[in-house]
Amino acid sequence: MEKVAKGITSFQLKLLGIVLMVFDHLGQFFGFLGAPVWFHWMGRLVAPIFLFTSSEGFIYTSNRKKYLLRLLYGFWFMGIGNIIANRFFMNENEVLINNIFGTLFLGVLYMWIIEGIRKNWKLKKPVKVLGGFILGLVPILLSFGAILLMNGLNSNSSLVLFQILTTLVPLPILSEGGPLFILLAVLFYLFHGKKSGQLISLVVIAGISFFAGTGNPFTENYQWMMCLAAVPIILYNGKKGRGMRNFFYYFYPAHIYLFCLIAYFIQH
């Protein structure tokens, strides 16, 4: 009989991430009904789990181009969906910005760039190495362009250009979790197969989040709780487990927009 590996698979990790994510978004959309703050505590584990599984997915996928494109398509879909939600179903002082696809896309993109730079360095192809560095700078430079447009949002043309740019292109400065989450995804990739390095990276990023934030560490500045994702990551056994790849891509936007609609109709 086939020996069953101890620990949890990538599928089970993602399933755990989804359950915790639902609690986090219940807190986000139904705080007005008294959803407890500990729903958000549970949600702090979600991003590290999916950043970790994205690094595993990048390493083991048979087609990295398609992997990137799936994340980009998800980003585009959520970008358009958020515009519609903000226009018709959000309160005046609320903005829906959830779009982890952009963060995952940028993390995987930089994994691909780093892999290419390493490969071409060994092959002594300096032009391609330089090309890799330039490609890596593009999202960063576009982020500065977005900042300039933000400073001129009082004009209609700047607003239109800003919406087009941020809807079509994932930008590090505006991605969910920002550059720190992208860095964490890349560190998970760089320390692949070295759990200690991955866990140290997680704790360091969580520590930076703690010291960079302000307010009570349990009611406002609780992003540091992402370090608790170390537990399921330690339990990961390196196996893929069941498939259901498309389920994870569909569930994320589906439950967000469902919660958004329910919250809107309850309040109206």
Side-chain angles (χ1 to χ4, degrees):
M1 295 180 64
E2 185 179 352
K3 188 176 181 180
V4 179
K6 294 181 179 180
I8 59 178
T9 64
S10 177
F11 170 78
Q12 292 168 329
L13 257 181
K14 291 177 183 177
L15 206 57
L16 173 63
I18 278 184
V19 172
L20 297 174
M21 178 172 62
V22 168
F23 277 97
D24 188 31
H25 292 151
L26 284 171
Q28 175 184 346
F29 288 99
F30 301 103
F32 67 95
L33 293 178
V37 68
W38 56 265
F39 278 19
H40 291 304
W41 297 352
M42 297 171 69
R44 295 318 93 200
L45 282 70
V46 176
I49 287 174
F50 282 105
L51 294 172
F52 176 79
T53 55
S54 73
S55 69
E56 292 292 300
F58 170 78
I59 289 169
Y60 292 116
T61 184
S62 59
N63 192 320
R64 288 170 177 175
K65 182 178 179 181
K66 286 186 177 180
Y67 186 30
L68 265 177
L69 285 175
R70 285 195 298 270
L71 294 172
L72 185 59
Y73 294 154
F75 172 79
W76 287 342
F77 178 82
M78 290 289 291
I80 295 171
N82 288 353
I83 290 174
I84 296 172
N86 286 321
R87 175 66 178 83
F88 298 105
F89 302 109
M90 297 297 291
N91 293 328
E92 184 177 348
N93 297 323
E94 297 177 340
V95 180
L96 183 62
I97 59 173
N98 302 67
N99 196 342
I100 197 63
F101 286 123
T103 310
L104 296 174
F105 172 86
L106 288 167
V108 172
L109 175 65
Y110 281 111
M111 293 175 206
W112 201 0
I113 289 172
I114 291 170
E115 182 185 68
I117 289 174
R118 283 174 161 179
K119 178 181 178 181
N120 288 309
W121 181 268
K122 290 180 179 179
L123 295 175
K124 297 182 179 181
K125 295 182 178 180
V127 174
K128 290 189 175 182
V129 170
L130 180 60
F133 280 109
I134 293 174
L135 178 60
L137 287 174
V138 171
I140 298 172
L141 294 176
L142 289 174
S143 290
F144 285 110
I147 292 173
L148 292 175
L149 289 173
M150 287 173 66
N151 292 331
L153 285 185
N154 54 331
S155 69
N156 290 332
S157 58
S158 293
L159 177 60
V160 171
L161 287 174
F162 178 79
Q163 287 189 328
I164 292 174
L165 175 61
T166 55
T167 302
L168 293 180
V169 184
L171 302 174
I173 196 170
L174 296 176
S175 62
E176 194 168 343
L180 278 181
F181 278 14
I182 298 168
L183 174 61
L184 181 57
V186 172
L187 289 172
F188 280 147
Y189 159 71
L190 292 176
F191 288 109
H192 172 71
K194 301 175 182 177
K195 279 282 181 71
S196 59
Q198 292 175 325
L199 296 177
I200 290 172
S201 299
L202 173 58
V203 171
V204 169
I205 296 297
I208 293 173
S209 298
F210 176 80
F211 289 108
T214 57
N216 189 296
F218 293 99
T219 58
E220 299 169 287
N221 179 30
Y222 41 72
Q223 186 57 51
W224 62 270
M225 294 183 184
M226 66 191 292
C227 66
L228 298 176
V231 176
I233 290 175
I234 288 173
L235 295 175
Y236 173 62
N237 60 18
K239 303 295 182 181
K240 179 181 178 181
R242 296 181 61 184
M244 295 181 65
R245 179 190 68 200
N246 291 334
F247 170 75
F248 296 103
Y249 284 97
Y250 296 149
F251 182 86
Y252 175 67
H255 88 283
I256 284 179
Y257 296 134
L258 176 62
F259 287 174
C260 178
L261 287 172
I262 293 173
Y264 175 79
F265 287 117
I266 288 177
Q267 296 179 83
H268 293 82

